[in-house]
């Protein structure tokens, strides 16, 4: 079974530090992760915009999105205690104005993520995917 998920990459454009990305702490995974949502059939981009808007409590008019690419990856799911096949669709979003009212989040560089053994143990493939797709294009 393939599990379809959309990953959302948001750069820190507010403090002029575009090398940092928004991550949140996921209790089920006990790990900091990029925002991620189950991919929906139909207009997935609109669904993702609505989910990011609700999660961060930002009007969706203040967010723009761009689909970048997708990758099928086999990885261990901590929350399900099994290896699964994921189809990760990668979106880059820009938030035009930001408040601190939504989900508890952190700004981290890819380097900081790579130095975090918990993130690397549980989500190295996603960090590598973002690094290869986003950082290499900059």
């Amino acid at each position: 079974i393939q599990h379809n998920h959309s990953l959302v990459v948001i750069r820190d454009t507010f403090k002029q530090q575009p090398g940092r990305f928004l991550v949140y702490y996921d209790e089920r995974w006990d790990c900091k992760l990029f925002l991620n949502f189950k991919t929906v059939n139909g207009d997935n981009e609109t669904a993702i915009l609505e989910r990011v808007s609700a999660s961060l409590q930002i009007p969706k008019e203040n967010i723009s999105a761009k689909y970048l690419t997708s990758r099928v990856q086999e990885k261990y799911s901590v929350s399900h205690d099994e290896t699964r096949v994921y189809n990760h669709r990668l979106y880059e979003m820009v938030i035009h104005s930001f408040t601190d009212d939504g989900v508890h989040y952190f700004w981290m560089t890819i380097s900081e993520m790579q130095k975090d053994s918990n993130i690397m143990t549980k989500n190295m493939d996603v960090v590598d995917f973002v690094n290869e797709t986003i950082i290499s294009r900059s």
Side-chain angles (χ1 to χ4, degrees), residues 7 21-22 44 60 79 84 93-94 98 106 113 124 128 134:
L7 304 171
F21 298 90
L22 187 132
N44 186 56
K60 62 183 175 180
S79 60
R84 292 181 158 206
M93 293 196 173
V94 174
F98 197 68
F106 306 86
M113 291 177 216
M124 176 180 62
D128 288 346
I134 302 288

Side-chain angles (χ1 to χ4, degrees), residues 66-99:
K66 180 171 79 172
Y67 168 77
L68 298 177
T69 189
S70 64
R71 180 180 289 176
V72 175
Q73 298 176 296
E74 184 175 306
K75 65 177 282 181
Y76 180 75
S77 170
V78 172
S79 60
H80 295 95
D81 193 26
E82 66 184 17
T83 299
R84 292 181 158 206
V85 176
Y86 291 92
N87 180 5
H88 286 135
R89 295 177 55 88
L90 184 60
Y91 289 86
E92 185 171 26
M93 293 196 173
V94 174
I95 298 174
H96 304 289
S97 65
F98 197 68
T99 63

Side-chain angles (χ1 to χ4, degrees), residues 31-32 108 111-121:
C31 188
K32 293 174 187 167
M108 295 182 76
S111 178
E112 290 169 332
M113 291 177 216
Q114 291 169 331
K115 291 176 185 169
D116 184 312
S117 61
N118 189 42
I119 292 174
M120 288 293 91
T121 299

Side-chain angles (χ1 to χ4, degrees), residues 2-39:
Q2 182 172 285
H3 301 274
N4 299 312
H5 286 267
S6 296
L7 304 171
V8 177
V9 175
I10 300 171
R11 290 181 193 261
D12 179 1
T13 57
F14 305 100
K15 297 189 181 200
Q16 302 303 315
Q17 297 182 24
R20 296 189 317 167
F21 298 90
L22 187 132
V23 294
Y24 76 102
Y25 177 75
D26 186 287
E27 290 184 14
R28 280 184 28 197
W29 281 66
D30 183 30
C31 188
K32 293 174 187 167
L33 304 171
F34 290 103
L35 292 175
N36 61 89
F37 307 98
K38 287 187 179 182
T39 301

